Amino acid sequence: MKTKDFALQIKDLSDEGTFEGYGSVFGNVDSYGEKVMPGAFVASLAKHRREGSTILMLWQHNPDEPIGVWEDLAEDSKGLWGKGRLIMEVQKARETHALMKAKAIGGLSIGYREVKVTPDGNVRNLEELDLREISPVSFPANRRARIEAVKSERMEEFARRLRDGDPMPIKDFEDILREAGVPKSMAVAIASHGYAKAIRSESEGSKANEPAAFLEALLRS
């Protein structure tokens, strides 16, 4: 069995131990030069439902330490989504819950067997996988998944600072554009001209702390 790690973005972690997150993200090349493709889990999930078998939740892939159950698993446009429940009567599950709450757990990791793999240059496209288990783990190996989480935090900070009337410095805004894939020359032009003008314009008006008004000024620049 092989394993693959992804950054854990927990949603709705409850005191009872239920949570939601992605066990896999589609379409990006990980540190092993592999890419999980959309549809990779469809056949495996259908087989588990048909046979009534269980996809395990283990601690760090250790078969001697089951810590919970996956109540719902499905593919969507982003990846393999799951709703899990830690069994709080288990000591390790309670410890895992505390670590998740403190954001000390860095990822979810799938345990699987390869069924269909297609080479694409230096990348291996994982077309079909036999999913066996999904485990909370300390460190995610999928760099882009971690970067996307950081990007989300940066955009939230950008919007918050606009609301507070304290827009980011021009260079920081340029970095956000570059992280989003905007070419360097265009990012420099947008940040040093349009963004700078929008900052000046809105700082002189009554709506300087409103993101919508700020973005409207940026588009006018």
Side-chain angles (χ1 to χ4, degrees), residues 37-118:
M37 305 300 291
F41 303 102
V42 170
S44 183
L45 292 176
K47 180 181 178 183
H48 281 290
R49 284 193 293 269
R50 186 171 60 250
E51 298 180 353
S53 53
T54 302
I55 295 172
L56 303 174
M57 184 191 300
L58 307 175
W59 170 247
Q60 305 270 24
H61 299 297
N62 186 348
D64 295 327
E65 291 188 294
I67 58 173
V69 294
W70 291 102
E71 297 183 332
D72 194 10
L73 290 166
E75 280 198 18
D76 62 17
S77 60
K78 180 177 179 179
L80 177 64
W81 169 88
K83 180 178 181 180
R85 177 170 57 86
L86 296 164
I87 300 174
M88 301 299 282
E89 291 80 6
V90 176
Q91 174 64 29
K92 180 58 71 174
R94 291 197 297 274
E95 294 173 3
T96 303
H97 182 268
L99 291 169
M100 284 183 173
K101 201 166 186 178
K103 298 184 179 180
I105 293 291
L108 286 177
S109 183
I110 58 173
Y112 62 94
R113 296 188 187 278
E114 294 178 352
V115 177
K116 181 181 179 182
V117 178
T118 304

Side-chain angles (χ1 to χ4, degrees), residues 18-44:
T18 60
F19 66 96
E20 297 178 24
Y22 282 86
S24 177
V25 178
F26 296 143
N28 58 89
V29 180
D30 65 17
S31 58
Y32 303 111
E34 297 177 335
K35 181 165 60 174
V36 180
M37 305 300 291
F41 303 102
V42 170
S44 183

